[in-house]
Amino acid sequence: MKDSVSYKVFNVVNTVILLLIVFITVFPFINVLAQSFSSEAYINAGKVNLIPRGFNIDTYRTVAKDAMFWTNYKNTVVYTVVGTAISMFMTTIFAYALSKKRLMGRKFLTMFAVFTMFFNGGLIPNYVLINSIGFANSIWAIVVPGAISIYNMLIMKSFFENMPEELEEAASIDGLNTYGILFRIILPLSKAIMATMMLFYAVGHWNSWFSAFLYMDQKELFPVTVYLRNLIAGATGGASAGASADNLTQISANIKSVTMVLTILPILLIYPFVQKYFVSGVMLGSVKG
């Protein structure tokens, strides 16, 4: 059968609209990348769009030569890996427990968890708590306070609730206990939701800076986001926490673009490997069967 004229028109219009959406989405990223390699004069004149003008890598050189940058970058990797592992473990066991209707106090625990999404102790009590338990200036101040995202936990809980109960009954008959069922039966069948939650947590930990800014006062413990934040502050305010003032005067025009490129690059490299799980994981966990 030949396609009708209306169907051909629809395909053309649909393709044009999708290409326009792609261009609108991708343009800011390309523009930021182009500015990171452009000279100050062209950036200030607003002449940089998709192609670098007045090729310049002084900012990259300034950042790359600073040993503190690589120390902070290593910290970010460690904080992200450890934080994501802790968050995934705690979220998974909490969501799996709440997905069982036979759990005593299930409704109360669910409502208590949801309550924390809207109410918390506040900034000062949290600061006092972190200091009083000795977490200040340590990795635990970064990875423990926000270990469980209630939003992510609810999505995972809904996913577990939709899994056939017969699977667990059969595994129980074969002699597996609760932990055996979770780690040997449920989790291998939950790759989509696990990959999605892992991406959410990893991006959150990678981009996080306020916790370190609040609970740490030693530069060698900062994540790279705080380093880059201080670099921008130094370039705009005339002082620097990570590079010399004379260098920052020369690179201040494109420093924001460089910092954004350096921050998002690892996530962009990882995302294609988990993208295939992303949409299916969110949809599976958000639909109640």
Side-chain angles (χ1 to χ4, degrees):
M1 294 180 60
K2 293 184 178 180
D3 295 335
S4 63
V5 176
S6 60
Y7 183 73
K8 292 180 180 178
V9 172
F10 169 79
N11 282 338
V12 172
V13 174
N14 191 43
T15 301
V16 172
I17 293 176
L18 290 177
L19 289 175
L20 180 61
I21 294 174
V22 170
F23 176 78
I24 294 174
T25 304
V26 175
F27 176 80
F29 291 97
I30 300 178
N31 178 253
V32 167
L33 183 63
Q35 287 192 13
S36 71
F37 288 103
S38 300
S39 65
E40 180 180 2
Y42 286 103
I43 296 174
N44 291 335
K47 296 182 179 179
V48 181
N49 291 314
L50 299 177
I51 301 175
R53 302 289 299 275
F55 190 76
N56 167 43
I57 58 174
D58 290 342
T59 307
Y60 285 103
R61 286 175 176 171
T62 300
V63 174
K65 289 179 181 179
D66 192 349
M68 187 59 67
F69 168 76
W70 297 109
T71 299
N72 294 158
Y73 217 98
K74 180 194 69 175
N75 292 340
T76 297
V77 173
V78 173
Y79 297 161
T80 300
V81 172
V82 175
T84 301
I86 293 175
S87 296
M88 288 298 299
F89 176 76
M90 297 185 67
T91 302
T92 300
I93 59 176
F94 192 20
Y96 182 70
L98 291 183
S99 68
K100 302 307 168 189
K101 296 180 180 179
R102 63 180 182 272
L103 177 68
M104 294 183 59
R106 175 173 176 262
K107 291 185 178 179
F108 170 78
L109 291 173
T110 302
M111 292 302 298
F112 184 81
V114 173
F115 179 84
T116 63
M117 296 179 65
F118 305 99
F119 303 95
N120 58 70
L123 184 61
I124 295 178
N126 283 333
Y127 180 82
V128 173
L129 174 63
I130 294 299
N131 279 274
S132 64
I133 60 180
F135 279 3
N137 286 314
S138 72
I139 184 177
W140 310 118
I142 308 296
V143 302
V144 171
I148 298 180
S149 167
I150 302 303
Y151 174 79
N152 293 347
M153 186 276 295
L154 293 176
I155 293 178
M156 191 175 290
K157 168 180 171 291
S158 178
F159 177 86
F160 289 147
E161 287 176 340
N162 291 329
M163 300 196 73
E165 294 183 2
E166 291 77 11
L167 284 174
E168 299 188 34
E169 292 176 356
S172 179
I173 293 174
D174 288 339
L176 288 179
N177 58 20
T178 301
Y179 297 103
I181 293 173
L182 173 61
F183 291 108
R184 297 181 62 180
I185 304 297
I186 302 301
L187 294 188
L189 297 175
S190 308
K191 293 180 180 178
I193 193 69
M194 296 297 288
T196 302
M197 295 299 104
M198 191 177 298
L199 177 64
F200 284 170
Y201 278 123
V203 172
H205 284 293
W206 186 270
N207 293 329
S208 176
W209 68 274
F210 187 70
S211 295
F213 183 76
L214 183 64
Y215 302 126
M216 294 181 174
D217 54 21
Q218 300 177 18
K219 294 180 181 179
E220 61 272 12
L221 297 176
F222 287 163
V224 71
T225 46
V226 175
Y227 172 94
L228 298 177
R229 179 262 174 199
N230 291 340
L231 200 62
I232 294 176
T236 57
S240 170
S244 59
D246 55 341
N247 283 335
L248 286 172
T249 301
Q250 300 173 11
I251 66 177
S252 59
N254 67 342
I255 191 171
K256 292 183 180 179
S257 300
V258 171
T259 56
M260 283 187 280
V261 170
L262 293 175
T263 302
I264 68 175
L265 184 59
I267 298 299
L268 290 179
L269 295 177
I270 294 174
Y271 183 79
F273 296 99
V274 297
Q275 188 271 341
K276 63 181 179 179
Y277 300 109
F278 182 74
V279 175
S280 60
V282 173
M283 294 302 294
L284 286 172
S286 60
V287 178
K288 175 67 176 177

